Amino acid sequence: MAAPPQLKAINHYLRTAQEHDKRDPAVAYYCRLYAMQTGMKIDSKTPECRKFLVKLMDQLETMKKELIDHESITQEVVGNAHIENYALKMFLYADNEDRAGRFHKNMIKSFYTASLLIDVLNVFGELSEENVQHRKYAKWKAAYIHNCLKNGETPQAGPIAMEGEEYDDEYGAEGGYSMQPPQDPPQSQPSFRGHPTDQPPASNFSNIQIPPGSHAPANTPADIPRPEGDVRLTPEDFTRAQKFCKYAGSALQYEDVGTAIQNLQKALKLLTTGKE
């Protein structure tokens, strides 16, 4: 269902939700939740907007009941990891295609969908700086490559200085670009945190380093120090360790071994040293 004209901005998220209803219900659920929250901020007073948003709320309640067995719906920390991992896979698929000079509609759609899913992460709280940078880069790349192809130009592969580019996914509704995201995105990728570098990327993204394919996580078990005497853990430490374990569990659902190992190592280091 398309939103009223006043809520046109949330159509992108509703379309992404519809695309994922069967493939990944959790993605569909959180896309609609973000659309509803955003719509409420834009216009919840106009009768047609109010009617639309109430219908959207009812749809979300129905989905929540149907997905009662999905941990990514019942536990926000798992949902957060699920959406973040999915967005990362979309981003890395598009970035690898871009670096290889393979420009096509599906990679444009993947860049743009990754940026939308990072927006959706706002339902879980404030975005990390890494996610903000990834979103900005993905949205710009989608616009740049789309406009190049539309104008018959060959895009420049890989990270380049960003200039003003606007990109609107409205063509998705016209049937011209009704692509689906890749079914089997690259496996064993690290999470957004500390990735692509531990330093904030430069504004022109020239230093973004995203390796193609899988690679070993930065830490190996040998890097984790042994417990040092009486380690005093705070309640917050236990919460963070539990969060890392849940991120690892979510990654394993995707058979994403690299991210699972990385998060389990973070949990183990925190529990043995009291430090991350």
Side-chain angles (χ1 to χ4, degrees), residues 190 193-194 198 215-224 258-259 261-263 265-266:
R193 289 170 185 75
D198 290 332
H215 62 62
N219 293 328
T220 63
D223 295 328
I224 300 170
T259 301
I261 292 173
Q262 192 176 56
N263 281 288
Q265 288 173 342
K266 286 180 180 178

Side-chain angles (χ1 to χ4, degrees), residues 10-271:
I10 70 174
N11 276 332
H12 307 298
Y13 308 97
L14 295 175
R15 191 176 307 129
T16 302
Q18 195 171 12
E19 289 172 356
H20 288 81
D21 270 328
K22 292 182 180 177
R23 186 183 316 121
D24 195 317
V27 170
Y29 175 82
Y30 285 112
C31 282
R32 287 194 178 96
L33 180 59
Y34 179 74
M36 189 268 291
Q37 291 179 352
T38 304
M40 292 289 286
K41 293 173 186 173
I42 297 173
D43 186 348
S44 61
K45 299 287 197 321
T46 309
E48 60 178 331
C49 291
R50 190 171 184 81
K51 183 180 177 182
F52 177 84
L53 291 169
V54 167
K55 190 182 290 187
L56 188 54
M57 285 181 204
D58 290 341
Q59 188 178 9
L60 283 164
E61 281 302 310
T62 301
M63 288 186 75
K64 198 168 186 179
K65 289 174 185 173
E66 290 173 350
L67 301 171
I68 193 69
D69 294 331
H70 283 62
E71 276 196 338
S72 50
I73 303 297
T74 58
Q75 298 185 44
E76 280 200 356
V77 67
V78 180
N80 190 352
H82 185 89
I83 302 300
E84 191 172 35
N85 285 342
Y86 195 96
L88 175 63
K89 290 176 192 299
M90 298 288 288
F91 182 93
L92 289 174
Y93 165 78
D95 185 72
N96 287 337
E97 291 294 283
D98 177 35
R99 288 168 184 268
R102 293 188 293 266
F103 306 108
H104 49 87
K105 293 174 181 179
N106 199 42
M107 63 94 73
I108 296 172
K109 181 77 170 180
S110 293
F111 263 136
Y112 191 64
T113 302
S115 73
L116 294 179
L117 291 177
I118 296 173
D119 282 336
V120 171
L121 288 172
N122 278 289
V123 303
F124 305 106
E126 190 175 352
L127 296 180
S128 67
E129 181 60 27
E130 290 90 350
N131 284 343
V132 170
Q133 297 288 357
H134 279 83
R135 178 182 61 183
K136 184 178 180 182
Y137 182 74
K139 198 166 286 190
W140 179 82
K141 263 293 183 179
Y144 167 71
I145 297 169
H146 167 66
N147 290 336
C148 282
L149 297 184
K150 186 174 71 174
N151 298 328
E153 301 168 3
T154 302
Q156 185 174 333
I160 54 176
M162 292 191 293
E163 297 173 5
E165 294 276 357
E166 291 187 3
Y167 173 84
D168 195 353
D169 193 31
E170 287 307 305
Y171 56 60
E174 298 166 7
Y177 278 16
S178 57
M179 298 78 62
Q180 299 299 325
Q183 294 293 336
D184 297 304
Q187 298 295 322
S188 302
Q189 299 291 356
S191 66
F192 275 167
R193 289 170 185 75
H195 180 75
T197 65
D198 290 332
Q199 301 300 320
S203 59
N204 67 356
F205 287 85
S206 60
N207 71 335
I208 245 179
Q209 297 295 325
I210 298 173
S214 60
H215 62 62
N219 293 328
T220 63
D223 295 328
I224 300 170
R226 295 182 180 277
E228 299 170 1
D230 184 19
V231 177
R232 294 178 181 274
L233 298 175
T234 66
E236 289 76 19
D237 290 332
F238 286 110
T239 301
R240 283 204 300 274
Q242 187 178 35
K243 184 175 178 181
F244 288 138
C245 290
K246 286 182 177 177
Y247 277 137
S250 177
L252 287 174
Q253 288 182 340
Y254 284 100
E255 299 179 4
D256 188 348
V257 178
T259 301
I261 292 173
Q262 192 176 56
N263 281 288
L264 289 171
Q265 288 173 342
K266 286 180 180 178
L268 186 57
K269 182 178 179 183
L270 178 60
L271 293 172

